[in-house]
Amino acid sequence: DNILRGRAARRDGMLTVQVGEKEFRVRGGPEGEVLLTIRPEEIAVSRQRPTADAPNVVEGKVSRLVDRGPMMRVDIEGPVKLIALLPRPMFRESGLRPGDTAFATFDPAVAYVLPVA
């Protein structure tokens, strides 16, 4: 679900992928025109702003919630659109509702970068 088209370049030992106005840090992959993919269950969502040193933060609005049984799908609309899957207990604890400001984050190690064919 999270397939973002961007441009990748190496900086300071990390690969960065520019997607629109947003820059993401990832562990590795090809440079140039790429697709950045992140599995929805690897994205954390919170109503609280992460610490300043947290990598790969997208601030946006909760645009949609979808019940997926033991998981809840949370769509975040910001500079890029991200879809997260949260375990139901974590979702209940978050208190997220449509229209809320939320912060989606993911670790550089869980992102995959693929060349554009």
Side-chain angles (χ1 to χ4, degrees), residues 12-69:
D12 303 323
M14 293 285 285
L15 190 69
T16 59
V17 180
Q18 188 76 37
V19 178
E21 298 176 14
K22 193 71 184 153
E23 185 175 274
F24 297 102
R25 294 185 306 172
V26 298
R27 286 277 164 93
E31 294 184 68
E33 292 296 315
V34 297
L35 297 175
L36 173 65
T37 66
I38 311 105
R39 295 185 54 88
E41 62 272 16
E42 296 289 356
I43 297 175
V45 181
S46 174
R47 292 172 68 184
Q48 286 78 37
R49 183 179 300 276
T51 60
D53 63 341
N56 303 327
V57 177
V58 173
E59 180 179 353
K61 296 281 186 191
V62 176
S63 62
R64 185 166 79 145
L65 300 172
V66 179
D67 187 337
R68 294 277 173 100

Side-chain angles (χ1 to χ4, degrees), residues 62-81:
V62 176
S63 62
R64 185 166 79 145
L65 300 172
V66 179
D67 187 337
R68 294 277 173 100
M71 306 290 275
M72 286 294 290
R73 174 180 160 154
V74 180
D75 292 13
I76 305 291
E77 294 278 350
V80 297
K81 179 181 179 180

